[in-house]
Amino acid sequence: MQIIDGKAVSQAVKEQVKNECEQLKQQGVTPGLAVIIVGEDPASQVYVRNKERACEQCGFYSKKYALPESTTQEELNALVRQLNEDENINGILCQLPLPKHLNDKEVINLIDPRKDVDAFHPENVGAIMIGDYHYLPCTPAGVMELIHSTGVEITGKKAVVIGRSNIVGKPMAMLLLHENATVEITHSRTVDLPAVTRTADILVAAIGKAKFVTADMVKDGAVVIDVGMDRDENGKLCGDVDFENVKEKCAYITPVPGGVGPMTIAMLMKNTLTAAKLQNNIE
Ligand code: GUN
């Protein structure tokens, strides 16, 4: 079994982005990312801090908009409209989840699709569906990079995705399909889930339940990708996969932390670079 080193793969992606950023700067363009965070969710605060740090590493301009929990929909919408018009900003990211009184769909729909570096806007989601896109959603794109890093061929393989969210499960299945996997999406209503997951050459877990995927659910020699960010019974960070037991069975596995997490951020940097190029008609 080999552990897939998400930190190393993400570092390589960010190095490449940094080099390209230097070239852009010579042409007078500095990629700019605006990150909006509303309220005090501790996990979101960690994610946003890491995104800012990655911008710094890549040489981007970044601006954080930390809004209070009491922010109204109108105030949030006004900020997005302002950032849509801001020439120094190429990418706009509104960290989810938003506080309950705010409508995330409304915000996503307002973001200029050309600045939608999360690829959550319906226009970008549709573009991904037909395989004609500028931006890929960060987490699924990061998972594809991790699978590529193993050298395992995807074409013709059976891939099973556990979870059907708009952010991970659904686009994940689409990207695997684009690379010629035979894909099955499973979820909480799937009958005999272990029987399905045992057919997976590539298993992607995006459930949100600590150590949900146990060794008996995994095929010998599978590639196991863990998108989970959960807490175990002792409050320790862990994934959706029971790492210690599953690692004995599979060929490749991602750890939590240090697997998918750093890749999500690296792919956000890649999308922001793409946004800066697109908006300045470069390449
Ligand atoms: N919350 C959890 N994952 C993400 C993500 O990829 N983007 C945003 N904006 N919010 C998230």
Side-chain angles (χ1 to χ4, degrees):
M1 182 277 312
Q2 266 181 275
I3 294 176
I4 304 175
D5 186 347
K7 261 193 162 161
V9 180
S10 72
Q11 211 54 50
V13 171
K14 283 188 286 185
E15 274 303 314
Q16 165 130 32
V17 170
K18 183 183 171 193
N19 290 338
E20 283 200 52
C21 177
E22 276 165 16
Q23 289 172 22
L24 275 189
K25 281 178 167 172
Q26 284 168 12
Q27 300 175 63
V29 175
T30 301
L33 177 68
V35 179
I36 305 169
I37 176 168
V38 187
E40 307 291 329
D41 180 58
S44 291
Q45 286 178 337
V46 174
Y47 297 147
V48 166
R49 201 175 313 131
N50 289 338
K51 286 168 186 178
E52 283 188 288
R53 194 176 305 147
C55 282
E56 227 168 86
Q57 285 172 4
C58 292
F60 292 1
Y61 167 68
S62 79
K63 186 143 171 70
K64 179 169 95 171
Y65 293 85
L67 306 181
E69 179 87 21
S70 59
T71 301
T72 64
Q73 187 79 45
E74 288 67 34
E75 286 166 335
L76 183 54
N77 292 356
L79 174 59
V80 170
R81 287 199 187 92
Q82 173 201 319
L83 293 170
N84 280 342
E85 300 302 322
D86 187 337
E87 287 191 358
N88 294 318
I89 295 298
N90 305 109
I92 303 169
L93 180 145
C94 181
Q95 187 66 33
L96 304 179
L98 288 170
K100 284 204 170 50
H101 66 282
L102 296 172
N103 183 334
D104 52 4
K105 253 190 216 160
E106 196 172 321
V107 178
I108 289 166
N109 285 333
L110 257 187
I111 295 175
D112 183 336
R114 290 168 304 172
K115 294 192 176 186
D116 171 36
V117 286
D118 262 328
F120 290 168
H121 190 286
E123 188 174 314
N124 289 321
V125 175
I128 291 157
M129 190 90 169
I130 57 176
D132 177 22
Y133 48 77
H134 295 296
Y135 306 122
L136 286 176
C138 302
T139 298
V143 170
M144 295 311 291
E145 291 285 325
L146 291 177
I147 299 171
H148 293 154
S149 78
T150 66
V152 168
E153 172 81 33
I154 298 174
T155 292
K157 292 284 166 60
K158 175 69 186 286
V160 174
V161 178
I162 318 177
R164 54 174 156 178
S165 71
N166 289 330
I167 295 185
V168 183
K170 282 191 240 175
M172 187 71 249
M174 199 54 59
L175 300 197
L176 287 160
L177 179 64
H178 285 165
E179 298 200 22
N180 308 310
T182 302
V183 185
E184 192 162 354
I185 305 176
T186 64
H187 46 79
S188 54
R189 307 290 180 90
T190 296
V191 175
D192 199 355
L193 179 66
V196 181
T197 57
R198 275 195 295 269
T199 67
D201 302 305
I202 299 166
L203 181 61
V204 181
I207 309 145
K209 284 190 182 160
K211 301 182 185 181
F212 180 88
V213 176
T214 46
D216 61 301
M217 296 169 72
V218 177
K219 183 178 179 173
D220 277 321
V223 177
V224 178
I225 307 285
D226 190 346
V227 182
M229 285 277 238
D230 314 308
R231 298 274 164 185
D232 71 8
E233 58 280 9
N234 303 315
K236 196 167 157 257
L237 188 64
C238 72
D240 290 346
V241 177
D242 179 5
F243 183 87
E244 285 308 318
N245 292 310
V246 170
K247 79 178 188 338
E248 305 302 333
K249 241 185 143 179
C250 58
Y252 296 92
I253 187 167
T254 63
V256 177
V260 174
M263 286 310 293
T264 297
I265 295 180
M267 303 319 279
L268 173 67
M269 298 300 110
K270 205 170 162 176
N271 280 347
T272 305
L273 181 81
T274 302
K277 286 194 212 165
L278 278 173
Q279 287 156 40
N280 290 281
N281 301 311
I282 294 169
E283 281 180 343

